[in-house]
Amino acid sequence: MTKGFDADCPATREILNRVGDKWSVLVIVILADGAKRFNDLKRSIGGISQRMLTLTLRGLEQDGLVKRTVYPTVPPRVDYELTPLGRTLLEPVTELAMWAQRHRPNVQNARAAFERAAKPPVPRRGT
Amino acid sequence: MTKGFDADCPATREILNRVGDKWSVLVIVILADGAKRFNDLKRSIGGISQRMLTLTLRGLEQDGLVKRTVYPTVPPRVDYELTPLGRTLLEPVTELAMWAQRHRPNVQNARAAFERAAKPPVPRRGT
DNA sequence: CGGTATCCGACTGGATACTG
DNA sequence: CAGTATCCAGTCGGATACCG
């Protein structure tokens, strides 16, 4: 089982590096709704710095996942939207997000148990 | 569309943090074949330091994705294996890995194009 | 509005040495 | 064998200031 794919191959490492960073997935998911302008995006995300939004968008653009469109109007206007390629990525990413939500209780649980196991497991009553 | 899930929710952020690190996915995929001992794992992976393997395994164990079994024999022996929870994670992760492989040419392509667009796009013949 | 440039602290991860 | 401890370079990412 699980034969037939390499998770260690460069391709996987590559996409994992992109998708595993702090903001990329978030941006992708927000752009799933349609094109957005830079500052709209920034507001939608909420905790991101201008610098990181720029870097994240550049990364996604570079990988062909996002398309950047500049309208040379007087206050400049730039739209970002998912490319078709970017939209296909949406599916495995959504899978992962759904896994996260379904199994979150398990994970939390495991973490609590792990923590309990680490500490001397609660002095019983007396001491 | 894509309503009905939050990629920004804490659960997703959490699992993305785990899965997005440098080694976790690799470990998970290797353990898909069955239990392995520490040094077997280390050899299977190839580029990992002892420290990082330990940290990665602790992280996975903490989240209930991997089970650690110590046999108190004279040279100590420790087995690591996926928990049922860990095995369920294998699926979305595999999806992502397959996406990476299917679309790698596109990504590579986009990167090349991006690079070309960045530099003054090739002086034509004369200069 | 949509960036770029700079600075800097925090965290990541490799190398190495030591331990039960 | 399976770690732990320490050190240290490199990267990530936030804050801030400035620019077209």
Side-chain angles (χ1 to χ4, degrees):
Chain A
M1 59 229 54
T2 59
K3 291 288 170 45
F5 93 99
D6 292 317
D8 53 324
C9 79
T12 303
R13 173 60 46 87
E14 222 174 72
I15 180 65
L16 234 34
N17 281 346
R18 166 101 8 263
V19 143
D21 73 8
K22 198 171 177 183
W23 303 108
S24 290
V25 165
L26 208 38
V27 169
I28 289 172
V29 168
I30 289 175
L31 287 183
D33 281 345
K36 286 222 178 195
R37 302 181 56 171
F38 186 86
N39 276 334
D40 285 349
L41 218 34
K42 187 160 184 299
R43 269 184 297 275
S44 294
I45 295 184
I48 196 171
S49 64
Q50 196 165 22
R51 176 183 130 92
M52 282 319 294
L53 181 54
T54 302
L55 288 180
T56 301
L57 287 169
R58 288 292 176 277
L60 293 171
E61 190 194 356
Q62 178 176 5
D63 285 358
L65 301 170
V66 159
K67 179 161 149 258
R68 176 173 182 268
T69 312
V70 182
Y71 302 94
T73 55
V74 140
R77 167 191 174 144
V78 181
D79 276 16
Y80 293 91
E81 60 184 320
L82 290 181
T83 62
L85 182 62
R87 238 168 321 220
T88 68
L89 178 55
L90 209 52
E91 316 226 350
V93 158
T94 301
E95 292 283 309
L96 207 60
M98 291 194 312
W99 186 96
Q101 283 170 73
R102 261 206 302 278
H103 298 285
R104 169 119 126 134
N106 292 279
V107 171
Q108 300 265 298
N109 227 305
R111 286 190 180 177
F114 190 86
E115 210 163 324
R116 257 178 280 116
K119 307 243 161 212
V122 167
R124 63 181 63 244
R125 239 202 332 159
T127 256
Chain B
M1 55 221 61
T2 60
K3 292 289 169 48
F5 94 100
D6 293 317
D8 53 321
C9 79
T12 302
R13 174 59 46 87
E14 222 173 72
I15 181 64
L16 233 34
N17 281 347
R18 164 103 7 261
V19 143
D21 73 8
K22 198 171 178 186
W23 301 108
S24 289
V25 166
L26 207 37
V27 168
I28 289 172
V29 168
I30 289 175
L31 287 182
D33 280 345
K36 287 225 180 195
R37 301 181 55 172
F38 186 87
N39 276 333
D40 286 348
L41 219 34
K42 188 160 184 295
R43 269 184 298 274
S44 293
I45 296 182
I48 197 172
S49 64
Q50 197 165 22
R51 176 184 130 93
M52 283 318 294
L53 182 53
T54 302
L55 288 180
T56 302
L57 287 170
R58 289 290 176 278
L60 294 172
E61 191 195 354
Q62 179 176 6
D63 285 359
L65 301 170
V66 158
K67 179 160 147 259
R68 178 173 181 264
T69 312
V70 182
Y71 302 95
T73 57
V74 139
R77 169 193 172 141
V78 182
D79 277 15
Y80 292 92
E81 59 184 321
L82 290 181
T83 61
L85 181 62
R87 242 174 320 246
T88 69
L89 179 55
L90 209 52
E91 316 227 350
V93 158
T94 302
E95 292 283 309
L96 206 61
M98 292 195 309
W99 186 96
Q101 283 169 71
R102 260 207 301 279
H103 300 285
R104 170 120 124 134
N106 292 280
V107 171
Q108 300 267 298
N109 227 306
R111 288 190 181 178
F114 189 87
E115 211 163 325
R116 256 179 281 116
K119 307 242 160 213
V122 168
R124 62 181 66 242
R125 239 200 331 157
T127 256

